[in-house]
Amino acid sequence: MMIRSALASLVLLSSVPALAASRPRYGGELRVAHAGPPEIGEPALADTPMEAALLGLLTRPVCRAETGGQVRPTLSRELSRPVPQALRVAMPSAASATALARAWTRLSSPESPSPYRALLYPLRGEGRQVTASGATLDLALAFPWPDLERSLCHPALATPPSPASGPFSAAGRGVLEAQVAWPEGRPYLDRLALTATDERGLTRLWSARQVQVELGIPPDNDTLTGAALYATYLAYSPRKVPADFRQAVESAIDREDLTRLFVKGPAVPMANLLPPALMPQASKARPGTPPAGATRKVTLAYDAALADQRAVAERIQVKLHDQGYTVALEPQSRAALRSRQARGDFELMLSAFLLPPVPGPALAVVLEAGGRRDLLGVELPPIGALTDAGARDARSRERALALAPSVPLIPLYAQGLALRAAPEVTGLMLDAQGLPVLEGAWLAPVEASGGGGRQ
């Protein structure tokens, strides 16, 4: 099965060379600790790297994008192109195909506030006409889009969790058991034991060797870090803030300072619409301070569930005060933020979403999130018309630079997910989305050593 065939390219988290060649073993329980409670439920809302990783144990999109650019079916059995402008998705059953069609139709409906509906924009009818015929979905494209397969690998396009939609299934509080009939082949592990805790708890559990994998820890030499694709922007409403607002923010905010002092976990400053993982970040001269005017009052909404956003919002509040703005902070649920952003019902908002690991689809999501859906039909067809992947990526980057002034999003930083594993955890890898693939890991015996983790 596909998990087995992928072992040759695994990123091994072990210092014992013999383990690299050891035969994978079935069975055992892997003890995993993670920072904070996950938001398990709607895939399009559970989109921080941590939430996407945990939700991915219970449900998956139709494929997985690997770091080398390959696409491997996961929930689906096969992705094929009967003709260039059509994609056929073969699912394990008629029930799974119907569930997928319903999820995509709901996501791409005109009422959907999700920026991820842009991933389905190249489909004829923008994904609103997805139907299942038995166990198959035939997707017709409105224009050439060679990156469609990699777009469909995005975690937001997964179906809601169900007994057969992920490599593991819930078997009690904090316990997941392997799905024997998982299309990729059953995971090597029998079960996962999950523990939610805080940063101090992670340190304590690791020091006591009570867990074997930790997710969401501060990065250091002992950790593996996924691609930083969770991008955070300061969104603003051009109708509700002064014309010189963008200049005021750019002159006041130091992205390096913001990332180093106020954002936990692995993060990088982001000066362009796409994060550094997707395009080079040219250094930008900070603009001069706009002329001081009358004191202006604005409200900045942010995600109440994210401590990073609260800290960043408070920092922006202080820095904009020096520019003549009185900023009121308003914590909101993620669902409320998405709904308000889609309606344009806000002045300022910290807006964050998980970008796909491909520049073209990532640009589509950013344009949707920035309220420039009108540009999708203008920008995407010329990108999709390029048959060479490198040329498509280059054009996407060029257009991201050119369009930045017309998109009311001020890029701030991008984050990834850091993890560490004990020496006996073998075969653990990260995909192109920066998420761990725990179903490909197995436990191998190791000699006693003086410490846990990678050496």
Side-chain angles (χ1 to χ4, degrees), residues 159-178:
T159 59
S162 69
S165 62
F168 296 89
S169 60
R173 184 176 179 83
V175 178
L176 306 181
E177 290 188 344

Side-chain angles (χ1 to χ4, degrees), residues 35-58:
E39 185 178 320
I40 298 294
E42 174 57 48
L45 289 175
D47 57 355
T48 70
M50 174 65 72
E51 293 162 353
L54 293 171
L55 189 62
L57 300 172
L58 297 173

Side-chain angles (χ1 to χ4, degrees), residues 76-420:
S76 65
R77 293 193 181 278
E78 184 183 14
L79 302 176
S80 60
R81 292 250 186 178
V83 295
Q85 280 188 230
L87 178 68
R88 178 166 294 162
V89 182
M91 299 293 288
S93 65
S96 61
T98 299
L100 185 65
R102 288 175 178 169
W104 287 357
T105 298
R106 183 173 63 253
L107 180 71
S108 59
S109 72
E111 295 76 28
S112 171
S114 175
Y116 302 116
R117 68 176 182 164
L119 296 172
L120 300 174
Y121 182 86
L123 299 183
R124 191 174 298 166
E126 300 178 17
R128 295 194 296 271
Q129 300 175 4
V130 175
T131 57
S133 176
T136 301
L137 280 75
D138 285 308
L139 310 177
L141 279 71
F143 53 85
W145 193 244
D147 290 322
L148 179 62
E149 286 87 339
R150 290 195 286 178
S151 297
L152 298 183
C153 297
H154 194 282
L157 299 186
T159 59
S162 69
S165 62
F168 296 89
S169 60
R173 184 176 179 83
V175 178
L176 306 181
E177 290 188 344
Q179 288 270 25
V180 176
W182 178 237
E184 275 197 287
R186 66 146 289 176
Y188 290 115
L189 299 164
D190 287 330
R191 68 190 63 83
L192 301 176
L194 304 180
T195 300
T197 184
D198 55 17
E199 188 173 320
R200 182 176 298 178
L202 288 175
T203 301
R204 176 181 56 80
L205 290 171
W206 186 259
S207 298
R209 299 187 181 182
Q210 294 179 334
V211 294
Q212 297 154 301
V213 172
E214 290 192 329
L215 306 176
I217 61 175
D220 58 29
N221 294 332
D222 197 36
T223 62
L224 191 67
T225 302
L229 295 170
Y230 185 61
T232 298
Y233 303 81
L234 178 61
Y236 62 93
S237 172
R239 297 182 293 103
K240 299 181 180 182
V241 299
D244 62 358
F245 174 77
R246 188 168 196 138
Q247 182 183 355
V249 173
E250 292 286 0
S251 65
I253 300 298
D254 183 332
R255 291 176 174 84
E256 293 278 357
D257 175 77
L258 196 69
T259 305
R260 183 178 67 256
L261 299 178
F262 299 95
V263 180
K264 293 183 178 181
V268 292
M270 184 173 63
N272 299 321
L273 282 182
L274 301 182
L278 297 179
M279 70 181 298
Q281 303 287 293
S283 59
K284 298 174 63 175
R286 295 177 67 181
T289 304
T295 299
R296 304 178 188 273
K297 295 182 179 180
V298 292
T299 298
L300 171 57
Y302 67 93
D303 194 324
L306 301 179
D308 286 343
Q309 282 205 8
R310 183 183 69 248
V312 168
E314 291 172 350
R315 182 61 171 174
I316 291 174
Q317 181 185 47
V318 170
K319 300 301 288 186
L320 285 183
H321 183 271
D322 299 337
Q323 305 291 329
Y325 288 87
T326 298
V327 182
L329 302 184
E330 184 179 10
Q332 294 272 293
S333 70
R334 193 167 309 162
L337 290 175
R338 295 277 164 80
S339 179
R340 290 180 59 182
Q341 187 168 15
R343 301 194 311 268
D345 180 23
F346 67 98
E347 293 176 314
L348 307 179
M349 178 183 294
L350 286 178
S351 179
F353 30 87
L354 187 63
L355 296 176
V358 192
L363 178 61
V365 173
V366 173
L367 293 177
E368 179 81 55
R372 296 306 311 269
R373 186 173 177 80
D374 58 303
L375 292 176
L376 295 180
V378 176
E379 299 294 339
L380 299 193
I383 294 172
L386 301 171
T387 57
D388 178 72
R392 291 196 303 275
D393 292 350
R395 181 177 176 88
S396 300
R397 296 180 183 114
E398 291 169 2
R399 297 310 298 156
L401 288 173
L403 294 170
S406 66
V407 180
L409 294 175
I410 300 174
L412 297 177
Y413 56 90
Q415 296 167 279
L417 178 67
L419 62 88
R420 61 184 169 191

Side-chain angles (χ1 to χ4, degrees), residues 8-32:
S9 61
L10 294 179
V11 179
L12 300 181
L13 301 185
S14 173
S15 62
V16 184
L19 288 181
S22 63
R23 184 174 180 176
R25 300 179 178 221
Y26 285 98
E29 177 181 272
L30 182 67
R31 303 185 304 277
V32 181

